[in-house]
């Protein structure tokens, strides 16, 4: 059967685009963090949507499951195949055309395999911005950011990827191609079915192309770094920023003193301001001329009201980049320190200080020598709450303690990275049964045979079983 | 059976809140436009979510369908019951508490029956804006705007209602209450099931409460009226506005000369500028001080480049209001003229001029004496394309001709009003089968027995049948 399937896939995609050798498969079978490895039956790289549909039909008739994969930069092992050699990795990377970019209507139609950064650069040439900013944007693909509803640093202002998706083309489990590539900002003609595919992590069908909304490219950007004494003060400053620069606020990042210390020790960078328990990295961007005075007023108010301990406004693009580098090197510095136990959580802003106290106490009780590398998108209530175990072995208990504190404050155990394989057991443990039931109903409705990405986001079902 | 059901409903809600007399029922049984009338079994007004769940269980066990209703301001008869006296209208209007408003986190938790305008006013007291602006906001409810994914004049900047929904509480057909009232801007923990309830027009379950996102209240607003020669020029001006005031552009409305003429004749208003074939009503709003100079630059550029025939910038709130009144009286003026055949359509901006030519020719061929009252949200590609039949009887043919032109340009036959009963036959005629199938799969997954709002958005199914 396998031989026959591979022959069929070669007929569809060409022999060069069906990979079966271990060395060729390896990059597709290992996740971005290099902690999860799978064993796929093969990797197939179709050239267009029709070929995707043919691959889907072939796999289905041979009872092989399909793992869709884009840039393979996900952080939840959502695109990594299982170990049973019965799954085909379907890589979209050959489908990377930017089909149309309309700077007046502010839309771009693009194939799933296009690299996020390439599409962003094309938009900028036309004075437009595709406002998804994340570390992996040089490798992440459009299909991937849609399928994971990617977040990043500009969610505060522009929303998650979902807010940018105007149209989708998807291939369903029976090989049907659904062409929903509409360039419309308003369309209430029936259920907005495309919403179920956004963030579905490839478990319902294969996103082969998308129409995304663009926004005007701001002409001016102002970046500032502040230090503050505690998270409560950081939130007071957040409210002040909303009141002063309003909708122009595009990033409001929190970085712990521990994180800055890690960066200073491992990345050879130096914070330009006096330390506090926490740092805030703010950015505002606008096409209007009043941005700089507003940011200056924000900072002087922050000092006058005793909110900021120290602070600096970048006076050049280079200085702004230097401030961002402090933030961008946190993950790498953590790895050099020996690695941390990562949590991508969100809680309501009003519960943030209580959550931090509760989670900190719980972790320290389990693991008295633990350190905390905490940073993230405070404006969205989303923190990367990473615990430095310093050799302790009770990772699972720490994991559960952090997530229990999250749930206790009505937060999310995965703010932006998704569930994939990585968070499935914790999702099953913490998600209310009524919501799990709705999730299974959606899977059952769209992919009743469980063809797509089994064991991601929902438990793997026995072949042919109802979900 | 009916008597028993009504007794049960009275036990749940109190006798005063189960209406059975024709005169009491009438306001709930007739749609906003007063063109569709239904005959419900009764009207029930539960006081809280538990009572809603009890009503749902009672109706289900008596095989009575449920029509959820908010402010009854919908334009697609989506909340109007059928004629068979086997449907219970479930009015959410008693559930109107604003449970929590957090100006720092910029969220509000509110019950389904709360009036949009009341919630907006509460937000403004805290320096925040709930950016849904529509004519019926003094009567429309939060449950209604969520269930219809309401649009309005600020979609250009803030998106449809969907973009504001952070959390939902819904009651399912088996009476399960799903509490998804999270105050999170980022939550990728599994399928975002709430998305299927947004814009579902009450066909999948009952939205009983919502958490909505707020935005900073802009400090300054600038309003301008321009006249232009043609739609192509209007779009060039739209691009110029994006480049000049950028993200501050919050409304970009198109109004035909015919519409202004109707308003001048019927509403006693007077345009302050020289006529063109089309008028543009622009609004920009910001918390930054550079807004006014940017708008002035936009207008002077528009004159210099020969785009605008005439124009005025409002120099006071009163003047701005007077400009908006021209736009707001169009619908009423049309009614006084004898009424028009309404279409709420969207097409991609790049196809707008071609669509208008094609639809205009097609309508004039069918109905040589027809007039055109065209106005709407040009920035979103959404026009209210209303045909003045002037006594001609071929409304259905005109309807189909307009929608055929819409579909021909990959547009939507319902940009913001929804499908309801009003557009169902045209939806069935024009929507591709692959998308109809996905829609039926979603209905079947969430409301398999067809308990909720039968005959809206999808055809009524025989009781107990699969969709």
């Amino acid at each position: 059967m396998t031989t026959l399937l591979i022959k069929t896939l070669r007929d569809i995609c060409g022999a060069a685009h069906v990979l079966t050798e271990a060395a060729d498969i390896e990059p597709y079978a290992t996740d971005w963090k290099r902690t999860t490895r799978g064993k796929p039956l093969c990797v197939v790289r179709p050239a267009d949507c029709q070929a995707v549909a043919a691959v889907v039909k072939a796999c289905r008739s041979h009872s092989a499951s399909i793992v869709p994969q884009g840039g393979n930069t996900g952080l939840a092992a959502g695109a990594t195949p299982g170990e049973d050699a019965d799954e085909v990795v379907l890589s979209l990377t050959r489908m990377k055309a930017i089909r149309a970019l309309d700077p007046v209507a502010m839309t771009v139609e693009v194939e799933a395999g296009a690299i996020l950064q390439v599409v962003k650069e094309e938009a900028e040439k036309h004075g437009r911005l595709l406002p998804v900013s994340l570390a992996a944007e040089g490798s992440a693909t459009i299909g991937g950011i849609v399928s994971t509803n990617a977040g990043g640093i500009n969610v505060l202002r522009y929303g998650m990827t979902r807010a940018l998706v105007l149209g989708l083309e998807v291939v369903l489990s029976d090989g049907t191609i659904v062409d929903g590539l509409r360039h419309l900002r308003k369309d209430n003609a029936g259920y907005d079915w495309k919403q179920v595919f956004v963030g579905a992590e490839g478990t319902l069908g294969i996103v082969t192309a998308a129409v995304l909304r663009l926004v005007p490219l701001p002409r001016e950007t102002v970046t500032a770094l502040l230090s503050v004494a505690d998270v409560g003060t950081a939130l007071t400053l957040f409210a002040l920023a909303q009141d002063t620069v309003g909708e122009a606020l595009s990033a409001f990042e929190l970085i712990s003193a521990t994180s800055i210390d890690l960066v200073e020790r491992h990345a050879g960078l130096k914070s330009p301001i006096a330390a506090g328990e926490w740092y805030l990295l703010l950015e505002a961007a606008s096409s209007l001329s009043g941005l700089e005075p507003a940011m200056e007023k924000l900072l002087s108010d922050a000092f006058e009201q005793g909110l900021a301990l120290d602070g600096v406004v970048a006076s050049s693009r280079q200085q702004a980049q230097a401030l961002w580098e402090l933030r961008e090197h946190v993950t790498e510095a953590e790895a050099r320190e020996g690695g941390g136990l990562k949590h991508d959580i969100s809680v309501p802003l009003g519960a943030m200080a209580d959550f931090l106290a509760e989670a900190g106490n719980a972790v320290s009780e389990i693991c008295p020598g633990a350190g905390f590398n905490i940073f993230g998108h405070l404006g969205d209530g989303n923190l990367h709450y990473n615990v430095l175990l310093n050799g302790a072995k009770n990772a699972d208990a720490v994991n559960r303690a952090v997530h229990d504190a999250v749930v206790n404050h009505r937060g999310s155990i995965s703010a932006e990275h998704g569930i994939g394989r990585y968070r499935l057991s914790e999702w099953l443990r913490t998600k209310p049964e009524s919501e799990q039931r709705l999730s299974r109903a959606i899977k059952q409705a769209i992919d009743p045979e469980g063809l797509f990405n089994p064991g991601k986001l929902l438990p793997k079902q026995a072949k042919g079983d109802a979900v």
Side-chain angles (χ1 to χ4, degrees), chain A:
Chain A
M1 278 302 261
T2 300
T3 319
L4 188 59
L5 172 57
I6 285 173
K7 188 192 168 308
T8 307
L9 295 176
R10 288 196 166 130
D11 289 346
I12 296 165
C13 300
H17 299 296
V18 181
L19 313 179
T20 54
E21 298 296 319
D24 297 338
I25 285 178
E26 208 277 334
Y28 301 86
T30 308
D31 82 321
W32 188 248
K33 294 190 292 186
R34 318 219 129 252
T35 53
T36 309
R37 286 186 163 74
K39 205 174 162 184
L41 195 153
C42 65
V43 175
V44 57
R45 300 185 301 203
D48 57 34
C49 183
Q50 281 68 32
V52 171
V55 167
V56 167
K57 284 184 196 169
C59 289
R60 188 186 186 207
S61 72
H62 286 84
S63 298
S65 304
I66 297 169
V67 181
Q69 190 179 92
N72 196 18
T73 65
L75 296 171
T80 310
E83 289 81 21
D84 297 340
D86 60 349
E87 297 174 12
V88 172
V89 172
L90 193 161
S91 168
L92 280 305
T93 45
R94 285 177 72 204
M95 297 172 55
K96 56 187 177 191
I98 300 176
R99 291 183 188 160
L101 192 152
D102 183 338
V104 178
M106 299 199 293
T107 59
V108 61
E109 180 175 325
V110 60
E111 292 180 353
I115 304 284
L116 172 54
Q117 188 175 297
V118 172
V119 184
K120 287 178 74 163
E121 284 167 3
E122 185 63 24
E124 285 181 29
K125 281 185 209 156
H126 294 87
R128 299 295 176 248
L129 176 68
L130 175 58
V132 181
S133 295
L134 36 85
E137 64 190 50
S139 310
T141 60
I142 297 302
I145 66 163
V146 168
S147 293
T148 58
N149 186 29
I153 55 169
N154 292 147
V155 171
L156 177 62
R157 176 161 179 178
Y158 297 108
M160 305 285 278
T161 298
R162 182 185 303 280
L164 306 172
V165 177
L166 299 180
L168 287 185
E169 178 185 70
V170 297
V171 174
L172 302 179
S173 64
D174 64 356
T176 300
I177 299 167
V178 190
D179 174 3
L181 290 173
R182 296 192 190 84
H183 293 239
L184 304 174
R185 300 171 77 95
K186 296 173 92 168
D187 182 8
N188 271 344
Y191 296 140
D192 191 2
W193 56 262
K194 70 175 177 289
Q195 298 298 336
V196 303
F197 293 91
V198 178
E201 303 185 14
T203 62
L204 299 177
I206 298 174
V207 172
T208 49
V211 181
L212 302 177
R213 188 165 68 83
L214 305 173
V215 300
L217 186 65
R219 252 191 297 276
E220 261 188 88
T221 301
V222 184
T223 311
L225 184 72
L226 304 174
S227 53
V228 297
D230 52 50
V231 169
T233 308
L235 289 173
T236 307
L237 237 156
F238 179 59
L240 188 66
Q242 300 287 358
D243 290 335
T244 313
V245 298
E247 70 288 350
L249 193 65
S250 50
F252 196 90
E253 300 281 305
L254 182 78
I255 316 172
S256 67
T258 303
S259 309
I260 294 291
D261 178 59
L262 285 174
V263 169
E264 292 189 337
R265 285 194 287 115
H266 292 293
L269 301 175
K270 181 94 192 77
S271 156
I273 63 171
E277 277 301 297
W278 299 93
Y279 294 77
L280 293 171
L281 184 56
L282 277 71
E283 197 159 271
S286 176
S287 296
L288 300 178
S289 60
L291 180 62
E292 254 185 68
M295 276 293 270
E296 277 158 21
K297 179 169 170 19
L298 170 61
L299 258 78
S300 71
D301 287 355
F303 284 117
E304 229 165 71
Q305 295 175 31
L307 300 171
L309 301 172
D310 195 5
V312 62
V313 178
S315 61
S316 68
R317 192 170 288 216
Q318 284 71 22
Q319 279 189 16
Q321 186 48 38
L323 297 182
W324 274 107
E325 277 182 11
L326 291 168
R327 166 69 176 83
E328 287 160 3
H329 279 80
V330 174
T331 301
E332 180 197 325
E334 176 186 298
R336 293 200 184 179
E337 182 77 2
L341 186 68
K342 295 174 194 295
H343 305 89
D344 164 43
I345 60 92
S346 62
V347 295
L349 281 189
M352 187 60 80
D354 285 350
F355 159 76
L356 285 169
E358 184 178 322
N361 288 339
V363 170
S364 296
E365 204 159 292
I366 296 166
C367 184
F372 296 88
N373 181 30
I374 301 172
F375 60 99
H377 320 292
L378 181 66
D380 305 313
N382 172 203
L383 295 184
H384 301 303
Y385 187 98
N386 297 353
V387 179
L388 305 167
L389 291 173
N390 297 322
K393 300 289 178 213
N394 33 15
D396 286 350
V398 170
N399 232 263
R400 285 193 295 270
V402 172
H403 291 159
D404 285 346
V406 166
V407 171
N408 197 24
H409 293 286
R410 297 185 65 82
S412 170
I413 66 160
S414 186
E416 56 179 14
H417 295 168
I419 297 298
R421 289 170 69 170
Y422 185 56
R423 284 290 179 237
L424 183 54
S425 61
E426 281 295 90
W427 185 84
L428 290 166
R429 188 176 74 84
T430 57
K431 201 73 174 176
E433 173 53 25
S434 61
E435 296 183 68
Q436 292 195 27
R437 218 161 65 221
L438 271 175
S439 303
R440 291 193 301 268
I442 290 169
K443 172 77 172 175
Q444 175 68 30
I446 316 283
D447 178 26
E449 294 168 15
L451 182 69
F452 292 117
N453 223 1
K456 318 290 166 50
L457 204 146
L458 283 171
K460 192 168 175 168
Q461 66 207 87
K463 284 240 163 66
D465 273 15
V467 183

